[in-house]
Amino acid sequence: MKVEINTNLPPDAHPASLGDDPPPNLSSAMARAYEVWGRAHDAARELDAQADGLRPKLPAGAPKMTPVQRLQFDQREAAWRAQMNAHKAELAEALRPKFESAFVAFDSAVEKSRSESATLRGQLRSSLVKAKPDPVLQQRVFDMLGKKPTIAKLNEAIDTGDPDVISTILGTSPFLLGVTQEQQTTMYDKAASKYQPELVKKIDENDKAVVRAERALVLFRDETASYMRKWRSPAQDVIEGARNV
């Protein structure tokens, strides 16, 4: 789905910033938020342009106004300002449900993508570490490795590709292996990259897309909330409060 770039919005808000192969639902939700944000920005600019053309202006070279003329001019300008504020309030009321709907869908898509990353990590671990290892096979692996095996020997054992060896080394407590948690994590990452490169790549792409989407979600939330604060009239807030009683 190609989304036209709006140069008035931050580049990080565009769904293309998610990467080459983001989760489809995340890209779609971000595209909708971007579209709504862009329309709101463009509508506000159009209202401002129209307002500027209607604003009362003194003719060039006009003589100094009398007090009565100044009062009349100020009244016309006040009426113009009130009308423009009313238009912005109407715009806010029209856009508010669209902002809320887009935000909820975008936030839900981000959460779903986070869950997808967790699911993929579970699949990766299941492919390397058996949930219920055979104690007999585990003991054979320990016997093969010997007491206090070096990191080099553990890596060599992983490189054999034997699933029982890999599962034992990566699934056993680091303390029992005589290594630190960090060293075991390094071995796990190396094995994952070697034996499940496509899955590792997918997890990495998904994680990056989530981080970028989270940043865009915050931008969308903060900017649209700012629009509402600037455009909504005090009367609208009072009415909204009464509705929620």
Side-chain angles (χ1 to χ4, degrees):
M1 174 177 161
K2 186 176 180 180
V3 180
E4 186 176 348
I5 294 174
N6 188 323
T7 57
N8 295 307
L9 304 186
D12 286 350
H14 193 280
S17 68
L18 293 178
D20 295 330
D21 189 25
N25 68 307
L26 185 61
S27 181
S28 176
M30 187 168 171
R32 176 56 182 165
Y34 186 83
E35 178 189 27
V36 171
W37 184 0
R39 287 184 179 178
H41 186 281
D42 293 345
R45 289 189 65 182
E46 179 61 26
L47 280 180
D48 287 340
Q50 292 180 11
D52 188 61
L54 295 172
R55 184 171 188 170
K57 295 181 177 63
L58 291 173
K64 184 177 179 179
M65 289 186 288
T66 66
V68 173
Q69 289 173 326
R70 167 53 68 181
L71 177 61
Q72 291 172 338
F73 180 82
D74 289 346
Q75 289 174 337
R76 290 199 303 273
E77 188 169 63
W80 164 84
R81 193 175 301 280
Q83 184 63 51
M84 295 308 104
N85 288 339
H87 288 163
K88 283 289 181 69
E90 288 179 28
L91 179 61
E93 200 63 18
L95 287 172
R96 187 182 60 162
K98 297 183 183 298
F99 285 161
E100 292 174 350
S101 174
F103 177 82
V104 169
F106 193 5
D107 185 52
S108 176
V110 170
E111 184 57 38
K112 185 176 180 180
S113 294
R114 286 197 200 102
S115 297
E116 176 66 14
S117 283
T119 299
L120 292 172
R121 282 188 168 80
Q123 292 175 4
L124 178 61
R125 184 163 186 83
S126 296
S127 72
L128 297 171
V129 179
K130 295 180 180 179
K132 294 182 179 180
D134 185 331
V136 176
L137 290 175
Q138 277 190 315
Q139 188 57 53
R140 288 178 183 174
V141 173
F142 284 129
D143 292 341
M144 177 197 72
L145 293 173
K147 294 182 178 180
K148 296 183 179 181
T150 63
I151 294 295
K153 187 170 184 177
L154 291 170
N155 280 322
E156 287 175 5
I158 290 173
D159 287 342
T160 64
D162 186 309
D164 292 312
V165 172
I166 294 171
S167 179
T168 299
I169 294 174
L170 301 182
T172 298
S173 165
F175 175 77
L176 295 178
L177 281 178
V179 300
T180 66
Q181 181 65 64
E182 183 179 2
Q183 288 171 327
Q184 188 181 51
T185 298
T186 299
M187 288 187 289
Y188 179 92
D189 291 343
K190 179 182 176 182
S193 296
K194 181 172 182 176
Y195 298 114
Q196 293 288 354
E198 291 302 316
L199 189 51
V200 169
K201 180 182 178 183
K202 187 173 182 179
I203 292 171
D204 182 61
E205 290 176 346
N206 204 75
D207 286 348
K208 288 178 178 177
V210 168
V211 170
R212 291 163 182 163
E214 288 173 335
R215 184 165 56 242
L217 182 64
V218 170
L219 286 172
F220 177 75
R221 180 199 64 196
D222 292 350
E223 287 300 312
T224 55
S226 175
Y227 289 162
M228 292 296 98
R229 287 193 300 270
K230 289 187 295 185
W231 298 346
R232 281 172 62 84
S233 70
Q236 286 175 310
D237 293 330
V238 172
I239 294 169
E240 185 64 27
R243 284 177 182 159
N244 294 329
V245 171

